[in-house]
Structure formats: C-alpha cells, structure tokens
Amino acid sequence: MKNKIKILTLLMCVILLAAGCSEADKVNANISQQADYFECERRITVYNARTDMVILETEGYMSISNNNSGELVCTVKTGPNEYKKNYIYLNEYTMYVVEDITGTHTDPYHYKMYFHTELPVSIEAKP
C-alpha cells in the first residue's frame, strides 16, 4: 500500500511539474492527497454566520468533500479498519473553517465532535 502511495505521489509530482504549476499548487495537491489517506489531523469549525456562534467542532483524521445536497461529507478513521461518515448540512447562514492540526496527537484514531449550544437550556415543566 505504501509503495502505491509513493508511486502515485511521484506520478502526481511529475504531472504537476510538466504542467508548470507553482510550488504552492504542488504542496496543496500533496496535502489533499495525504488527508484523503487519513494521514493528517484536521479540525472543522462550523459557525452560524448571523450570530457568530460556533455550532459544531469536530477533529480527527478525516477526508472532507462536498456533495450536491449542500452537505459537507466527513469520513473519519476511528480504528485500523474502522471509519465513520458524518454529514454537516450547510446553508446560507452557516460557514465552516478547516484547520490542519497534524502533529498534536500521537493517537492515529483520535476523533472528537462537539455540539455548541447555549447554556443553560430552558426547560418548561408542566404538572
């Protein structure tokens, strides 16, 4: 598997060099490929753009893509052969930031998800 990754990376570099891409383009392609192979840890933060409130944070070794339904698709590696797939719905009032936080943990299956809600939550009790 590692040999396939090395060959694919080398092939991509040759193609990018032949196309005359900048160094930043090459690095961006390599980082994206590493993320798709769950080799770099990321943090996604979703904000409500109207209120500036954080709605959701998730971090872990994940591959991220958009689908045609207005959703951010996060595939997360949680074990040697275990994965979870999460969907984050996006609309005109939400925005997200993806950070590369590689190197902060030694656990390759590190995964967290936080939902941010306003506290205290009011509860109405009826007799």
Side-chain angles (χ1 to χ4, degrees):
M1 183 67 167
K2 288 186 178 186
N3 286 337
K4 287 182 183 179
I5 294 171
K6 288 179 184 178
I7 291 171
L8 185 58
T9 303
L10 181 61
L11 183 60
M12 279 185 67
C13 289
V14 169
I15 291 171
L16 290 174
L17 285 173
C21 294
S22 69
E23 183 178 355
D25 291 335
K26 292 179 236 174
V27 170
N28 187 30
N30 289 339
I31 290 172
S32 295
Q33 181 182 9
Q34 285 179 309
D36 286 339
Y37 283 100
F38 307 102
E39 294 176 355
C40 52
E41 187 175 8
R42 294 169 152 182
R43 177 185 300 125
I44 301 173
T45 306
V46 180
Y47 298 92
N48 180 324
R50 296 178 105 187
T51 64
D52 296 332
M53 299 284 293
V54 174
I55 299 170
L56 168 75
E57 273 186 282
T58 183
E59 63 182 51
Y61 290 83
M62 62 184 83
S63 174
I64 303 166
S65 63
N66 286 310
N67 65 15
N68 295 331
S69 301
E71 296 169 326
L72 191 63
V73 181
C74 303
T75 307
V76 183
K77 188 170 188 175
T78 58
N81 293 308
E82 296 177 32
Y83 303 89
K84 292 186 180 198
K85 192 171 191 177
N86 301 303
Y87 296 90
I88 301 170
Y89 178 73
L90 303 171
N91 60 34
E92 64 269 14
Y93 302 118
T94 55
M95 62 179 247
Y96 69 95
V97 175
V98 178
E99 301 172 74
D100 183 354
I101 55 173
T102 302
T104 59
H105 298 283
T106 57
D107 180 4
Y109 310 118
H110 172 76
Y111 171 64
K112 293 181 182 179
M113 182 175 278
Y114 305 99
F115 286 93
H116 294 266
T117 59
E118 191 173 320
L119 294 175
V121 177
S122 61
I123 299 173
E124 183 180 328
K126 294 185 181 182

